[in-house]
PDB file of all heavy atoms in Angstrom:
ATOM      1  N   LEU A 409     -15.310 -16.300   9.300  1.00  0.00           N
ATOM      2  CA  LEU A 409     -16.160 -15.645   8.319  1.00  0.00           C
ATOM      3  C   LEU A 409     -15.503 -14.448   7.680  1.00  0.00           C
ATOM      4  O   LEU A 409     -15.457 -14.326   6.433  1.00  0.00           O
ATOM      5  CB  LEU A 409     -17.464 -15.212   8.992  1.00  0.00           C
ATOM      6  CG  LEU A 409     -18.492 -14.510   8.093  1.00  0.00           C
ATOM      7  CD1 LEU A 409     -18.908 -15.426   6.946  1.00  0.00           C
ATOM      8  CD2 LEU A 409     -19.683 -14.047   8.892  1.00  0.00           C
ATOM      9  N   PHE A 410     -14.984 -13.507   8.505  1.00  0.00           N
ATOM     10  CA  PHE A 410     -14.369 -12.289   7.928  1.00  0.00           C
ATOM     11  C   PHE A 410     -13.174 -12.577   7.049  1.00  0.00           C
ATOM     12  O   PHE A 410     -13.091 -12.047   5.909  1.00  0.00           O
ATOM     13  CB  PHE A 410     -14.038 -11.304   9.045  1.00  0.00           C
ATOM     14  CG  PHE A 410     -15.251 -10.638   9.670  1.00  0.00           C
ATOM     15  CD1 PHE A 410     -15.143  -9.908  10.835  1.00  0.00           C
ATOM     16  CD2 PHE A 410     -16.493 -10.761   9.087  1.00  0.00           C
ATOM     17  CE1 PHE A 410     -16.260  -9.280  11.420  1.00  0.00           C
ATOM     18  CE2 PHE A 410     -17.635 -10.170   9.648  1.00  0.00           C
ATOM     19  CZ  PHE A 410     -17.489  -9.422  10.828  1.00  0.00           C
ATOM     20  N   PRO A 411     -12.212 -13.373   7.541  1.00  0.00           N
ATOM     21  CA  PRO A 411     -11.049 -13.645   6.654  1.00  0.00           C
ATOM     22  C   PRO A 411     -11.465 -14.454   5.402  1.00  0.00           C
ATOM     23  O   PRO A 411     -10.859 -14.301   4.345  1.00  0.00           O
ATOM     24  CB  PRO A 411     -10.103 -14.436   7.544  1.00  0.00           C
ATOM     25  CG  PRO A 411     -10.923 -14.930   8.684  1.00  0.00           C
ATOM     26  CD  PRO A 411     -11.987 -13.913   8.871  1.00  0.00           C
ATOM     27  N   LEU A 412     -12.488 -15.299   5.521  1.00  0.00           N
ATOM     28  CA  LEU A 412     -12.947 -16.045   4.354  1.00  0.00           C
ATOM     29  C   LEU A 412     -13.555 -15.138   3.316  1.00  0.00           C
ATOM     30  O   LEU A 412     -13.302 -15.283   2.106  1.00  0.00           O
ATOM     31  CB  LEU A 412     -13.959 -17.117   4.791  1.00  0.00           C
ATOM     32  CG  LEU A 412     -14.406 -18.128   3.690  1.00  0.00           C
ATOM     33  CD1 LEU A 412     -13.204 -18.867   3.172  1.00  0.00           C
ATOM     34  CD2 LEU A 412     -15.420 -19.088   4.266  1.00  0.00           C
ATOM     35  N   ILE A 413     -14.360 -14.165   3.774  1.00  0.00           N
ATOM     36  CA  ILE A 413     -14.947 -13.177   2.835  1.00  0.00           C
ATOM     37  C   ILE A 413     -13.827 -12.387   2.176  1.00  0.00           C
ATOM     38  O   ILE A 413     -13.828 -12.142   0.964  1.00  0.00           O
ATOM     39  CB  ILE A 413     -15.895 -12.236   3.579  1.00  0.00           C
ATOM     40  CG1 ILE A 413     -17.132 -12.999   4.070  1.00  0.00           C
ATOM     41  CG2 ILE A 413     -16.308 -11.086   2.666  1.00  0.00           C
ATOM     42  CD1 ILE A 413     -18.076 -12.172   4.897  1.00  0.00           C
ATOM     43  N   GLY A 414     -12.861 -11.976   2.985  1.00  0.00           N
ATOM     44  CA  GLY A 414     -11.720 -11.208   2.440  1.00  0.00           C
ATOM     45  C   GLY A 414     -10.962 -12.027   1.420  1.00  0.00           C
ATOM     46  O   GLY A 414     -10.568 -11.495   0.374  1.00  0.00           O
ATOM     47  N   PHE A 415     -10.761 -13.314   1.703  1.00  0.00           N
ATOM     48  CA  PHE A 415     -10.041 -14.182   0.766  1.00  0.00           C
ATOM     49  C   PHE A 415     -10.770 -14.289  -0.563  1.00  0.00           C
ATOM     50  O   PHE A 415     -10.162 -14.222  -1.633  1.00  0.00           O
ATOM     51  CB  PHE A 415      -9.870 -15.595   1.381  1.00  0.00           C
ATOM     52  CG  PHE A 415      -9.074 -16.532   0.537  1.00  0.00           C
ATOM     53  CD1 PHE A 415      -7.702 -16.624   0.652  1.00  0.00           C
ATOM     54  CD2 PHE A 415      -9.696 -17.327  -0.424  1.00  0.00           C
ATOM     55  CE1 PHE A 415      -6.962 -17.505  -0.143  1.00  0.00           C
ATOM     56  CE2 PHE A 415      -8.979 -18.190  -1.241  1.00  0.00           C
ATOM     57  CZ  PHE A 415      -7.599 -18.267  -1.081  1.00  0.00           C
ATOM     58  N   VAL A 416     -12.090 -14.437  -0.491  1.00  0.00           N
ATOM     59  CA  VAL A 416     -12.888 -14.635  -1.734  1.00  0.00           C
ATOM     60  C   VAL A 416     -12.851 -13.337  -2.569  1.00  0.00           C
ATOM     61  O   VAL A 416     -12.637 -13.373  -3.797  1.00  0.00           O
ATOM     62  CB  VAL A 416     -14.345 -14.981  -1.394  1.00  0.00           C
ATOM     63  CG1 VAL A 416     -15.215 -14.919  -2.641  1.00  0.00           C
ATOM     64  CG2 VAL A 416     -14.431 -16.391  -0.759  1.00  0.00           C
ATOM     65  N   ILE A 417     -13.029 -12.176  -1.921  1.00  0.00           N
ATOM     66  CA  ILE A 417     -13.046 -10.909  -2.673  1.00  0.00           C
ATOM     67  C   ILE A 417     -11.675 -10.642  -3.291  1.00  0.00           C
ATOM     68  O   ILE A 417     -11.549 -10.320  -4.475  1.00  0.00           O
ATOM     69  CB  ILE A 417     -13.445  -9.743  -1.739  1.00  0.00           C
ATOM     70  CG1 ILE A 417     -14.882  -9.914  -1.266  1.00  0.00           C
ATOM     71  CG2 ILE A 417     -13.299  -8.427  -2.489  1.00  0.00           C
ATOM     72  CD1 ILE A 417     -15.352  -8.870  -0.276  1.00  0.00           C
ATOM     73  N   ILE A 418     -10.626 -10.771  -2.474  1.00  0.00           N
ATOM     74  CA  ILE A 418      -9.265 -10.525  -3.003  1.00  0.00           C
ATOM     75  C   ILE A 418      -8.913 -11.551  -4.072  1.00  0.00           C
ATOM     76  O   ILE A 418      -8.289 -11.219  -5.090  1.00  0.00           O
ATOM     77  CB  ILE A 418      -8.240 -10.584  -1.853  1.00  0.00           C
ATOM     78  CG1 ILE A 418      -8.481  -9.460  -0.834  1.00  0.00           C
ATOM     79  CG2 ILE A 418      -6.787 -10.471  -2.430  1.00  0.00           C
ATOM     80  CD1 ILE A 418      -8.406  -8.076  -1.424  1.00  0.00           C
ATOM     81  N   GLY A 419      -9.337 -12.795  -3.870  1.00  0.00           N
ATOM     82  CA  GLY A 419      -9.093 -13.823  -4.866  1.00  0.00           C
ATOM     83  C   GLY A 419      -9.745 -13.501  -6.173  1.00  0.00           C
ATOM     84  O   GLY A 419      -9.156 -13.728  -7.266  1.00  0.00           O
ATOM     85  N   TYR A 420     -10.961 -12.965  -6.146  1.00  0.00           N
ATOM     86  CA  TYR A 420     -11.674 -12.619  -7.386  1.00  0.00           C
ATOM     87  C   TYR A 420     -11.000 -11.468  -8.065  1.00  0.00           C
ATOM     88  O   TYR A 420     -10.860 -11.470  -9.308  1.00  0.00           O
ATOM     89  CB  TYR A 420     -13.126 -12.279  -7.054  1.00  0.00           C
ATOM     90  CG  TYR A 420     -14.041 -12.228  -8.243  1.00  0.00           C
ATOM     91  CD1 TYR A 420     -14.105 -13.305  -9.149  1.00  0.00           C
ATOM     92  CD2 TYR A 420     -14.807 -11.126  -8.529  1.00  0.00           C
ATOM     93  CE1 TYR A 420     -14.924 -13.264 -10.251  1.00  0.00           C
ATOM     94  CE2 TYR A 420     -15.630 -11.058  -9.635  1.00  0.00           C
ATOM     95  CZ  TYR A 420     -15.708 -12.149 -10.506  1.00  0.00           C
ATOM     96  OH  TYR A 420     -16.506 -12.114 -11.614  1.00  0.00           O
TER      97      TYR A 420
END
Side-chain angles (χ1 to χ4, degrees):
L409 180 61
F410 288 169
L412 187 59
I413 292 175
F415 182 91
V416 171
I417 296 176
I418 296 300
Y420 194 52

